[in-house]
Amino acid sequence: MAHLRRKSVSSPPGKIKTSIAKVISRTKHNSFYHKLSLRGDNPLYLLGTPKVIWEGSPSAGAELATGKFIADGHILENPENNQNLWLGGDVWQATNLNNNWLEYLHSFRWLIDLYHAENEDGAKKRGQELVAAWIEQNTRWREISWRADVVGERNTNWLIYAPLILDTEDLTYRRRVLDMIARQARYLMNISTNAWVIPNNLKAIIGLILSGLFVPGGEGWLKEGCSLLKVAVEKEVFIDSSLRSEAPQKLLQLYLSFVLLGEAFKQAGREEPEEVLGAILRIEINLKNIIHGDGKLALFNGAGIQGGKDIRLALLKISQKSNKLERPEQSGLARIEKSKSLIIMDVGPPPELNMSAASHCGTHAFEMSRGRERLIVNCGGAPFINEDGASLIATNLRGSEAHSTLVLNNQNSSEIREDGLIGLGVTKVSSRMIEGRGKVLIESEHDGYVLSCGYLHKRLIYVSETGESIRGEDIIEHNKISKSIEVVPFNIRFHLHPNVSVTQSDREDMLCLRLENGEEWYFRCRGAERSLKSSIYFGEEEKGTATKQIVLSGKTGGPITTVLWSLQLK
């Protein structure tokens, strides 16, 4: 039995306290002494650059070269230009952007696409134009652009794509870029004593290490970065290979970063630290646990489907063969795979408060795929939507209703606070996987509705040895700590992939779910009223696609309410 716990949280901090903290930080970093601490010898060259080992999008790079920014299929809208073009350095003066866009822009994550644009000369011109404008407008500390993880990722990208942004005869520009790389490394060095309170601190540490490897005189940065890395790997990457944020997307990004780091040490003629190889193998184990038959990520905690080639390419980079997780439920996501059928279920609480800004309320949600086709899904995430109502859309996608799980009393299993963090709700999830005679049963229980409604939610999912019969049981059980038993409504949601067509079968109690490959699955239920409603899917490049969801509705009746459902291949 796996018992995963989350610390109880208090009420969200007041706005006055938060704003005072920001003022103190801004004052400190804009002080004369802070600016003085970033000064030092200006490097005249680099000792090398990390090898480009990941593929970008040539089409997104071509758009970027002409002035359009595209992230996961979403175009950054420019209200001052009817073609959404950002000319010169205008993008650095953009207002009303959400934090996801600000992080994407200021980390220079988009350089990977620009580097792969077919028009090499145009890409170089545009990249250098944007770097020069950024330096001109961002020497003063700002909350996002100078946040440690963003600085670390920016230095990493400037070093990787130095052949793009430094290939020029403009010596003044080159000196400014090299000077800024060194200043950013000193900044990371200065704040390294506070590394453990920095969100996503591994990005900052990796940026510091790469600066130490490829910037002349960076031995001190390299030593400090490697020292921090050893402890960070143990804190951020659990021994069971899960990540503190529990987000598949972040797990993939971190994996790519560690593979890059390992390659960089080899390029620099240095021995790869044990921590790097250990982290790669650990994360690889968990990545394999959350990839569907189509080679792409499961949609938990805001993950979106990428091309799939990134994941396959990443896994091919390592020659060692990693083992499977002996107890996958211990990582917070359980995996049942029988023949062509695959089920991945969330059996963990949300991450701790300070790591929960992008997390979802999807405890006990599951996804099901059949070979390369998805059947039951979660709605996904859309961090780069920047249109009217975008904040509400993003929040709704984080809610329990956007996941294939039970929703009690129209509430999330965990609260999404006003500051965007995950608050009260699930603090304990107990789960176990039972196998016998080729059959598998996963059973799990969470306490997310105990405080608000007085009930525990138990979910059991059984998969036959052939994978052609799936049976589920959702149990709403009164918690004995609560004295009164309230009658509350419930909805159990099964979001369908847009490629799944659903029709009423000849029998009134069954729905027929048809996959694109022609397979038909019968869905039946008992103990609730079944309905078919509209849904939306933000899986493929975060473009919202209309789809359907099966909803099982009812009200609790006494100490225990049980709903049975099944999926059977025709």
Side-chain angles (χ1 to χ4, degrees):
M1 179 77 74
H3 300 285
L4 301 181
R5 298 178 181 272
R6 182 181 193 252
K7 295 177 183 177
S8 298
V9 298
S10 57
S11 300
K15 293 182 179 179
I16 293 178
K17 181 179 178 181
T18 302
S19 62
I20 289 175
K22 288 182 180 179
V23 169
I24 292 173
S25 182
R26 188 177 295 114
T27 303
K28 173 186 174 183
H29 288 96
N30 281 329
S31 69
F32 169 77
Y33 296 102
H34 173 73
K35 294 176 182 176
L36 190 65
S37 70
L38 300 185
R39 294 180 182 177
D41 294 335
N42 295 339
L44 301 178
Y45 56 89
L46 295 176
L47 299 174
T49 62
K51 185 170 65 174
V52 178
I53 55 178
W54 309 122
E55 294 183 27
S57 168
S59 59
E63 294 281 10
L64 183 53
T66 64
K68 280 187 181 178
F69 283 87
I70 300 177
D72 290 343
H74 287 282
I75 296 174
L76 179 60
E77 296 181 0
N78 184 353
E80 305 298 324
N81 186 293
N82 57 15
Q83 294 182 306
N84 291 319
L85 298 179
W86 297 88
L87 305 177
D90 288 352
V91 73
W92 306 126
Q93 299 176 8
T95 57
N96 299 322
L97 300 184
N98 65 35
N99 281 356
N100 292 300
W101 268 113
L102 289 173
E103 292 167 11
Y104 178 77
L105 292 169
H106 287 280
S107 67
F108 282 70
R109 203 177 301 157
W110 41 268
L111 276 175
I112 187 173
D113 294 330
L114 191 60
Y115 181 86
H116 286 91
E118 290 186 11
N119 183 354
E120 187 176 335
D121 291 337
K124 286 181 181 178
K125 180 180 179 181
R126 182 61 176 150
Q128 292 165 19
E129 182 180 47
L130 287 166
V131 170
W134 187 92
I135 294 173
E136 184 69 30
Q137 299 178 41
N138 286 276
T139 52
R140 289 177 62 85
W141 184 89
R142 291 178 182 172
E143 186 180 353
I144 298 295
S145 61
W146 281 91
R147 202 176 68 197
D149 60 310
V150 176
V151 175
E153 191 174 358
R154 182 168 58 247
N155 244 25
T156 295
N157 286 322
W158 281 12
L159 288 169
I160 294 173
Y161 303 107
L164 180 77
I165 65 173
L166 285 177
D167 186 9
T168 176
E169 295 180 358
D170 186 342
L171 299 183
T172 301
Y173 162 80
R174 280 178 56 87
R175 280 196 296 268
R176 293 190 70 189
V177 176
L178 291 170
D179 175 55
M180 183 54 71
I181 290 174
R183 286 169 65 88
Q184 291 176 153
R186 293 185 198 106
Y187 175 81
L188 294 173
M189 185 71 170
N190 289 347
I191 62 174
S192 63
T193 54
N194 298 318
W196 314 123
V197 297
I198 298 172
N200 300 318
N201 62 6
L202 277 165
K203 289 185 178 181
I205 294 170
I206 289 172
L208 184 61
I209 291 175
L210 290 176
S211 300
L213 285 173
F214 295 109
V215 178
E219 285 293 334
W221 305 335
L222 178 61
K223 183 178 179 181
E224 177 70 8
C226 288
S227 176
L228 293 171
L229 182 70
K230 184 173 183 178
V231 182
V233 167
E234 292 301 322
K235 291 177 72 71
E236 293 289 331
V237 185
F238 290 159
I239 194 65
D240 58 23
S241 313
S242 66
L243 188 67
R244 288 178 66 197
S245 68
E246 295 183 6
Q249 203 89 11
K250 290 190 176 182
L251 193 67
L252 174 61
Q253 291 171 1
L254 193 60
Y255 181 76
L256 299 179
S257 296
F258 272 114
V259 173
L260 171 73
L261 192 58
E263 292 289 325
F265 271 96
K266 295 173 185 175
Q267 281 180 257
R270 296 175 180 266
E271 186 177 352
E272 181 181 8
E274 292 182 5
E275 295 76 34
V276 174
L277 181 57
I280 289 171
L281 293 176
R282 288 186 192 179
I283 299 172
E284 182 182 342
I285 292 172
N286 203 262
L287 264 181
K288 290 178 177 178
N289 193 47
I290 54 177
I291 294 175
H292 276 289
D294 57 7
K296 303 172 186 177
L297 292 175
L299 301 188
F300 292 95
N301 281 314
I305 293 178
Q306 299 187 337
K309 61 185 178 183
D310 278 3
I311 304 176
R312 287 193 293 269
L313 182 61
L315 296 178
L316 287 172
K317 287 288 175 182
I318 305 302
S319 58
Q320 292 89 346
K321 291 185 178 180
S322 56
N323 298 318
K324 290 184 178 180
L325 285 176
E326 292 185 6
R327 298 179 64 195
E329 67 274 18
Q330 191 73 39
S331 71
L333 288 170
R335 180 186 181 96
I336 302 175
E337 191 169 6
K338 287 295 176 182
S339 185
K340 292 167 54 179
S341 295
L342 170 63
I343 285 179
I344 302 174
M345 179 175 165
D346 187 337
V347 291
E352 298 299 337
L353 184 68
N354 66 329
M355 301 294 292
S356 66
S359 299
H360 288 207
C361 309
T363 304
H364 281 180
F366 80 98
E367 292 197 329
M368 176 183 172
S369 59
R370 180 75 174 164
R372 298 186 61 83
E373 298 197 45
R374 300 194 182 203
L375 179 55
I376 308 294
V377 297
N378 296 313
C379 292
F384 292 107
I385 289 183
N386 209 58
E387 58 197 38
D388 292 341
S391 177
L392 180 60
I393 294 172
T395 300
N396 288 343
L397 288 172
R398 296 176 66 194
S400 299
E401 288 191 351
H403 297 78
S404 293
T405 187
L406 172 135
V407 178
L408 198 57
N409 205 26
N410 299 312
Q411 298 177 13
N412 291 325
S413 57
S414 293
E415 166 200 25
I416 300 177
R417 307 191 327 181
E418 288 188 9
D419 60 6
L421 301 178
I422 301 294
L424 298 172
V426 180
T427 60
K428 180 183 177 182
V429 183
S430 300
S431 66
R432 63 175 177 168
M433 193 177 293
I434 304 169
E435 299 186 56
R437 297 182 179 179
K439 306 173 180 67
V440 183
L441 173 71
I442 178 74
E443 59 178 18
S444 184
E445 172 186 291
H446 79 70
D447 63 352
Y449 292 110
V450 168
L451 284 179
S452 60
C453 303
Y455 288 98
L456 294 165
H457 177 215
K458 297 181 179 180
R459 169 163 270 187
L460 292 80
I461 297 180
Y462 159 90
V463 182
S464 69
E465 64 273 22
T466 62
E468 296 177 359
S469 177
I470 316 293
R471 297 202 296 270
E473 189 171 343
D474 283 289
I475 303 170
I476 307 167
E477 182 175 316
H478 181 253
N479 181 40
K480 295 178 180 179
I481 297 176
S482 178
K483 295 180 180 179
S484 61
I485 301 178
E486 295 185 24
V487 177
V488 295
F490 66 82
N491 292 291
I492 305 172
R493 301 177 183 275
F494 301 82
H495 296 274
L496 305 177
H497 189 275
N499 292 338
V500 176
S501 61
V502 54
T503 56
Q504 180 67 52
S505 74
D506 295 337
R507 292 180 51 174
E508 188 175 338
D509 65 338
M510 290 196 306
L511 289 177
C512 180
L513 311 181
R514 184 181 177 86
L515 303 181
E516 280 196 321
N517 64 8
E519 279 191 357
E520 293 183 351
W521 288 76
Y522 288 129
F523 180 92
R524 301 176 67 183
C525 70
R526 191 171 69 200
E529 182 180 339
R530 190 200 69 219
S531 60
L532 192 62
K533 297 185 178 181
S534 297
S535 182
I536 191 165
Y537 181 69
F538 278 90
E540 195 70 42
E541 293 187 330
E542 297 181 357
K543 294 177 180 178
T545 304
T547 187
K548 296 290 185 182
Q549 60 174 311
I550 301 170
V551 183
L552 309 183
S553 305
K555 292 184 178 180
T556 55
I560 297 179
T561 301
T562 301
V563 178
L564 305 176
W565 51 267
S566 67
L567 282 159
Q568 180 72 47
L569 181 64
K570 181 179 178 180

